Amino acid sequence: MNKIRLLPDYIIDTIAAGEVIERPYSIIKELLENSIDAKAENIDIHVEGGGENKIVIIDDGKGIDENDLNLCVKRHATSKISNNDLSKISTLGFRGEALYAIASVSKLEITSKTSLMSNAFKLLVEENKVLDKKPSKGKNGTSISVENLFKNFPVRKKFLSNKKTENYYIRETIKSIAISHPRISFNYFEDNKLKFVFASKKTISGLKNRVLEIMGQDFYESSLFIEVKKNYCNIKGYISIPTYNKSNWKDTVIVVNNRVIKDRNILGVIKAAYAGLLAGNRFPVLVLDIKIPYEDIDANVHPRKTEISLLERKKINSTLIKVIRETLEKAGLINSGIYEKKLLNTFYTDNKKDNVTKQIIFPNNIKYKFDNEVQSKDIASNNTINDYKDFRLGFAIAQINSMFIISQTKDKVILIDQHAAHERIVLEKLKSSFFNNNIQRQILLMPEIIDIDSDIKLFLDNKKKIGELGIIFDGYGQNSIIVRELPSILGKIKVKELFDDLYLQLEKFDEVNLNSYQIENLLSSIACHNSIRAGRKLNIEEMNNLLRLMEETPNSGQCNHGRPTFVELSIKDIEKLFGRI
Ligand code: ADP
Ligand code: MG
C-alpha cells in the first residue's frame, strides 16, 4: 500500500462538488431553490446546449448584499442557519454548498441587487477563484450564469448524455419544483426559445391550477383530490385512479415541506395502498403535498437533499395508506377517460385514412347474429331500459363474442369486459369475507392431487395461513399436495394454475404474515381464477346482475391489474363519429 497523504484542495473541491452536482439539472435545482429561498415571485430559466454550454437563472428575490457577494461562493457559507441550529430548517438550502460546488466545476457569474442598493454588483468566479467584482446594471434580485460546465472535470463530462436527454431531465426538474411552488411563475427558455410558462397562481386553488398546467387535463380528470389533517402531518394532493397508470414512478411528485423529494419508502407505501388495484409492474401517478412539523424532519441525510428522515414515519405511512384507499373506494365507478379517447382516435383516424367513399365488402356465407337476440325483444316491449337508465352502468342489452357486455344509459353506450369486472367482484367479496373470518369453502367431491414443481415446503410451512384464505390442502408424497377445499365463490377452476400463481406471490414475501398488503396480493391472485372467464355466454338477467354487482362493489372500475373493466362512449361522441354534429 502507498503512503497515506492528504489530497490537494482542488481535488477535494471536485470530489465535494461531484456529490452535489451530478449533471446540469442538479445546477438548475440548486439555483431554483436559492431563488425560492430568496422569496422570488418570478423566475426565468435559460439553458443552452443541454446546460453544458450555459445556464442562466434570473429571479426577482431579495438579492445579495455587495459585502456578501464574495462570501456566498465559499464552502459552508450560508445565510439560512441562525443560532447554528440545524434542528428546525424551513429553507430549502442550509448547507452552504451549492454555489461553492457550482463554482468548482464551471465559470460562474453572479449579478445581484437588494432593494437597499443603488446599483447591482457582479462577481466573476472561475475554478473557485474570485476574478473580479464590479458595479453592474441590474434590477432588484439575482441573476446567476453558469458556463463551461465540467470543463475541469472530464470524467463527469464524459457521463453527460446528449443534449436532448439533459434537456429532458432539466424540464422534469423544473416541472416538479413548479408543482412544489404554485405561487411562483416560471419561464423556461431552451437555446433562446421559450419552451414553457407556468404562470403564478396566488389563489387558494394554486395547486389545482399547477397540476392542470403541468400534469395535464387527462391526469386531472383521472385523479382524485385527497386531504387529511393530523397533528403530525397534513397531506393533500391528487392521486390517479388505478386505470390511469404508468410503467414507472417518473410522473409522481412528492413534496414534503415545499421540498421535492425522491423517497423510496413513501413510494413503497403508495404502492401498498394500490395493492390489488394494479399489476406489480404498473404504477399510479400522484402529486402529494405533505407538511410535517419542521422539528420532526431531518433533511440533512443526503448530499442532494432528495431523501429525508422522518420522526413519525410509521404514523404518516398509515395515514397515507388509509386516505388513498378510502378515497379510491369511495370514488365508486369512474374510469380515466383515456381509453375512450384512444378508442375515438382510432375511429377518427381510420375515417380520415379511408375516406368516406370506401366500399364495404361483406364476406360471403357469414351469418350475423346477436348472442341475445331473443331477450332484446323483451326489453323493447317492457321498456326496461327506461327503468334502468339512471343506473351508473345502465341496462345490459347484448353480449359480444361471449366476452363483452353492451349496456345503455340515458346518454351513453357502455362496453363492459365481463371477466375483468367479475374478477374485481370476486376479489372484493373474498376480502370482506376474509376480514369477517368467513370465507365460504366448498369441499371438492374428488380431492385434487397436484404436482408441485416449485418449492413444496413454502406451501407446507404456510398451510395454516393459506387455509385462512379458504384453501385447504395436505402434503401428499414428496412432490405433491392434495387439495380438499376451495373458496366457493371461485366455482370450478384449474387448481394447478391457482397454486402456480399463489407460489409466485408467496415467494415474494420474506415471511408470510397476512398483513393487509399480502392479503391484497394473495387474494387478488386467487380472484383471477374465478369462473366467469371470458368466453362464457350470459343471459340478459345474468349480465344485468353483474352490472348491479359492479355498482355496489368498491374499486370495480378496474380489474386487479389496473385495466379498466368498462369503457363508455357518450351518444354525443357517437353522433360526432357519424358526422351528425
Ligand atoms: P445555501 O442555499 O445552502 O445557503 P448556497 O451555496 O446555495 O447555500 O448559497 C449561499 C448563499 O448565497 C445563500 O445562503 C444566500 O444567502 C445566497 N444566495 C444564493 N443564491 C441567492 C439568490 N438567488 N438570491 C439571494 N441570495 C442568494
Ligand atoms: Mg442553496
Side-chain angles (χ1 to χ4, degrees), residues 29-75:
K29 171 184 174 285
E30 292 296 337
L31 295 183
L32 287 181
E33 289 189 350
N34 280 345
S35 300
I36 293 168
D37 283 341
K39 304 268 180 292
E41 291 183 355
N42 301 285
I43 306 176
D44 285 359
I45 305 139
H46 296 260
V47 169
E48 286 172 30
E52 217 180 308
N53 299 356
K54 196 169 186 178
I55 294 172
V56 181
I57 308 254
I58 305 163
D59 71 43
D60 61 355
K62 287 192 214 156
I64 306 170
D65 194 76
E66 184 200 337
N67 300 321
D68 284 344
L69 258 186
N70 289 56
L71 205 54
C72 72
V73 288
K74 295 259 173 307
R75 190 166 199 197

Side-chain angles (χ1 to χ4, degrees), residues 225-485:
F225 181 69
I226 58 167
E227 184 159 34
V228 49
K229 289 189 173 148
K230 303 274 178 195
N231 53 13
Y232 49 87
C233 75
N234 288 349
I235 302 174
K236 74 172 177 184
Y238 293 85
I239 63 170
S240 74
I241 56 174
T243 48
Y244 185 95
N245 55 55
K246 299 270 153 136
S247 59
N248 53 40
W249 286 112
K250 217 171 48 49
D251 290 353
T252 289
V253 181
I254 299 173
V255 180
V256 176
N257 289 5
N258 301 323
R259 184 191 301 284
V260 180
I261 56 156
K262 296 258 170 285
D263 188 301
R264 282 161 153 266
N265 182 289
I266 294 186
L267 294 179
V269 166
I270 296 172
K271 187 74 186 160
Y274 279 79
L277 301 173
L278 277 179
N281 59 353
R282 303 298 301 175
F283 302 88
V285 178
L286 288 87
V287 172
L288 290 183
D289 180 14
I290 304 176
K291 294 273 190 302
I292 293 167
Y294 284 110
E295 55 273 25
D296 287 1
I297 199 169
D298 183 0
N300 192 20
V301 291
H302 186 272
R304 289 190 287 277
K305 298 166 287 183
T306 50
E307 285 165 23
I308 48 172
S309 292
L310 296 174
L311 207 59
E312 301 287 3
R313 175 126 9 217
K314 273 204 170 136
K315 280 196 203 163
I316 296 169
N317 287 352
S318 64
T319 307
L320 188 58
I321 293 202
K322 193 156 170 261
V323 64
I324 294 177
R325 278 217 85 94
E326 282 178 1
T327 310
L328 292 173
E329 274 168 26
K330 253 192 259 144
L333 284 171
I334 40 172
N335 73 27
S336 91
I338 49 174
Y339 297 92
E340 285 81 0
K341 271 191 198 152
K342 273 192 208 155
L343 183 67
L344 279 174
N345 279 337
T346 53
F347 276 124
Y348 287 134
T349 40
D350 273 0
N351 245 342
K352 276 194 203 111
K353 250 190 273 160
D354 296 0
N355 216 341
V356 196
T357 55
K358 71 180 172 206
Q359 218 188 333
I360 301 170
I361 302 164
F362 287 102
N364 294 329
N365 302 327
I366 295 213
K367 246 177 113 186
Y368 290 96
K369 180 172 167 287
F370 264 111
D371 284 0
N372 293 287
E373 232 170 21
V374 185
Q375 288 89 337
S376 48
K377 275 188 208 135
D378 295 346
I379 306 157
S381 59
N382 301 345
N383 243 354
T384 338
I385 298 176
N386 276 343
D387 296 344
Y388 284 87
K389 68 178 194 296
D390 291 329
F391 279 78
R392 175 66 182 84
L393 295 176
F395 190 78
I397 47 177
Q399 189 188 26
I400 331 177
N401 271 3
S402 308
M403 269 167 108
F404 303 105
I405 299 169
I406 304 181
S407 78
Q408 191 187 330
T409 69
K410 209 167 31 195
D411 51 4
K412 283 186 181 126
V413 173
I414 304 183
L415 276 173
I416 296 112
D417 176 338
Q418 70 187 47
H419 177 217
H422 196 252
E423 186 174 308
R424 164 59 57 194
I425 290 168
V426 171
L427 171 64
E428 294 296 332
K429 277 251 167 73
L430 276 174
K431 256 184 354 194
S432 70
S433 33
F434 172 84
F435 289 114
N436 291 320
N437 273 330
N438 71 343
I439 293 192
Q440 301 287 322
R441 296 194 303 261
Q442 166 193 357
I443 301 176
L444 303 185
L445 283 177
M446 289 282 290
E448 197 158 325
I449 296 162
I450 52 175
D451 294 338
I452 300 291
D453 343 298
S454 43
D455 177 11
I456 194 166
K457 200 164 165 296
L458 191 61
F459 287 115
L460 296 179
D461 288 352
N462 294 296
K463 203 177 99 167
K464 196 161 162 276
K465 303 234 165 70
I466 299 171
E468 289 177 44
L469 307 173
I471 302 174
I472 307 293
F473 64 94
D474 284 306
Y476 192 82
Q478 268 205 327
N479 291 319
S480 308
I481 52 177
I482 178 163
V483 184
R484 303 183 191 283
E485 295 177 37

Side-chain angles (χ1 to χ4, degrees), residues 210-221:
R210 208 25 69 96
V211 164
L212 257 167
E213 216 169 24
I214 293 176
M215 312 289 290
Q217 190 78 25
D218 277 351
F219 170 77
Y220 182 71
E221 281 171 9

Side-chain angles (χ1 to χ4, degrees), residues 34-35 37-38 59 63-64 72 77-80 93-100 142 144:
N34 280 345
S35 300
D37 283 341
D59 71 43
I64 306 170
C72 72
T78 179
S79 58
K80 299 171 192 174
F94 56 86
R95 297 162 68 110
E97 274 185 332
L99 290 183
Y100 160 81
T142 305
I144 298 193

Side-chain angles (χ1 to χ4, degrees), residues 5-19 75-76 97 100-101 104 128 153:
R5 65 184 182 106
L6 280 175
L7 292 170
D9 279 352
Y10 77 94
I11 296 280
I12 296 178
D13 287 354
T14 18
I15 291 174
E19 283 186 356
R75 190 166 199 197
H76 305 309
E97 274 185 332
Y100 160 81
S104 312
N128 267 335
F153 202 178

